[in-house]
Amino acid sequence: AKNIIPPKFILNATIKQMQGFVDPSPGQNPFVAIFAQKMEAAKIPEPRREALRSEAEKIVNVEVYPVWKNAIVTLQSQLPQSTDDAGLWRLKGGANAYAYFLRRYTTTNLTPEQIHQIGLSEVARIEKEMDAIFRRLGRREGSINERSEKLKQDMAYPLTEEGRATIMADADGILRDAEKRAAVLFDKTPKSRVVVQPFPRFREANAAANYNSPAPDGSRPGVIQIPLRPEMMTKFALRSLIYHEGVPGHHFQIALTVENKDLPRFRQIGAFGVISALVEGWGLYAERLA
């Protein structure tokens, strides 16, 4: 009613991802397929497994898919009113909202323009470092973006099932190596394990790598999720990604918070979200430390 709708490129990406979720037959849907895997792992007798799997398939077909399809239609109906403008500035009160969230996520009183200038100076500083490294590697031609793109192509995993499997194997190897090396730097590390998992296929086209905290009761490890897009998960970027999302990055900070019984529960479980300046600042520091 207030014309507050997502930008067109977000709507298109979301519709495509949701369509990918409802395209498979109900029996092939992740809800059913993963449920079946977990029942098998739990050693539930086969006849009971089949009955429950059949019931889950029916629920997906009769209750889940129709709701998702209605949601897709709703998003499609918003496309004619949407634009590719993405900033909060396009909304009434947007500038004030932006300033509020900037303070919320940075804990500073810096203005949007000051933050923007810091960003520009950081880009210049980092590109200068990158240029020096590229030149050491004999890569002197083109802009930083062009040389980065060429490096990405040269060090991409093959766009095959074997390439996807290699990404997972390399990611796990980097993570386990990081754990060994962190042991000599940290006297306090999380009790919770951390594992690397791929995103489900229907999500990987639009997903960004992330970290999910372990369960407070220890029943679930910390999980680094990565989208198996070989053209994005390059060999030179994967190592920094695992350090940032896993060890000694988000896993060390967030899992230790979850396990810290001296904190009130709302802080242990991050009930009110996180402060990006702290969480992402630690992740960035952890990349360099590793």
Side-chain angles (χ1 to χ4, degrees):
K2 295 182 178 179
N3 203 35
I4 298 176
I5 56 176
K8 185 167 288 185
F9 64 90
I10 293 290
L11 286 172
N12 282 327
T14 306
I15 290 165
K16 181 180 178 182
Q17 182 175 312
M18 292 182 74
Q19 195 62 56
F21 181 80
V22 298
D23 278 345
S25 65
Q28 298 301 311
N29 182 273
F31 282 161
V32 180
I34 293 169
F35 180 50
Q37 288 174 9
K38 290 186 174 182
M39 286 194 293
E40 186 173 358
K43 304 287 194 296
I44 294 172
E46 201 281 329
R48 178 67 175 146
R49 282 208 316 266
E50 181 50 34
L52 289 170
R53 193 208 61 78
S54 179
E55 186 180 348
E57 184 175 335
K58 182 180 177 183
I59 290 170
V60 167
N61 190 40
V62 175
E63 298 181 37
V64 177
Y65 273 10
V67 177
W68 276 65
K69 288 174 181 176
N70 283 342
I72 290 169
V73 170
T74 299
L75 294 179
Q76 288 170 332
S77 74
Q78 295 176 359
L79 281 169
Q81 288 81 47
S82 68
T83 70
D84 277 329
D85 290 335
L88 272 175
W89 53 262
R90 77 191 196 281
L91 306 173
K92 184 179 178 182
N96 289 337
Y98 186 85
Y100 167 81
F101 286 116
L102 201 61
R103 177 168 165 71
R104 160 87 170 79
Y105 286 107
T106 68
T107 72
T108 73
N109 290 314
L110 295 172
T111 66
E113 183 57 32
Q114 286 172 314
I115 294 283
H116 183 58
Q117 289 305 318
I118 290 172
L120 294 177
S121 66
E122 279 295 282
V123 168
R125 179 184 67 78
I126 293 166
E127 286 193 343
K128 188 176 178 182
E129 287 185 20
M130 292 173 74
D131 181 58
I133 294 169
F134 273 132
R135 289 176 181 278
R136 270 211 314 273
L137 297 172
R139 294 173 182 261
R140 296 179 170 82
E141 302 299 320
S143 66
I144 293 294
N145 278 350
E146 289 167 344
R147 282 180 280 176
S148 294
E149 195 57 40
K150 182 68 168 64
L151 185 65
K152 187 186 291 186
Q153 293 169 7
D154 292 347
M155 298 192 70
Y157 290 91
L159 290 166
T160 61
E161 290 303 310
E162 185 179 351
R164 295 161 65 91
T166 305
I167 293 174
M168 291 306 301
D170 286 356
D172 187 66
I174 292 167
L175 181 60
R176 301 308 155 209
D177 175 64
E179 287 177 327
K180 290 176 187 172
R181 291 192 293 116
V184 300
L185 293 176
F186 293 84
D187 62 354
K188 189 174 181 65
T189 58
K191 296 183 179 69
S192 304
R193 292 187 312 116
V194 58
V195 298
V196 187
Q197 292 178 356
F199 275 97
R201 286 286 176 102
F202 75 92
R203 288 191 60 192
E204 68 185 18
N206 302 313
N210 62 25
Y211 170 79
N212 295 280
S213 60
D217 66 0
S219 61
R220 186 184 66 249
V223 178
I224 304 165
Q225 275 194 302
I226 59 175
L228 292 185
R229 302 198 300 271
E231 74 280 10
M232 297 296 290
M233 297 285 109
T234 58
K235 293 174 187 175
F236 77 88
L238 188 62
R239 188 170 291 277
S240 292
L241 178 76
I242 297 300
Y243 295 152
H244 180 109
E245 301 292 345
V247 175
H250 290 334
H251 178 65
F252 270 23
Q253 188 217 338
I254 295 173
L256 282 171
T257 301
V258 170
E259 294 170 3
N260 188 348
K261 300 291 193 274
D262 291 334
L263 292 175
R265 182 163 172 78
F266 78 88
R267 284 191 58 196
Q268 279 184 285
I269 64 174
F272 300 111
V274 298
I275 300 295
S276 297
L278 172 64
V279 175
E280 298 305 335
W282 172 261
L284 185 61
Y285 168 71
E287 291 177 38
R288 180 60 62 92
L289 178 68

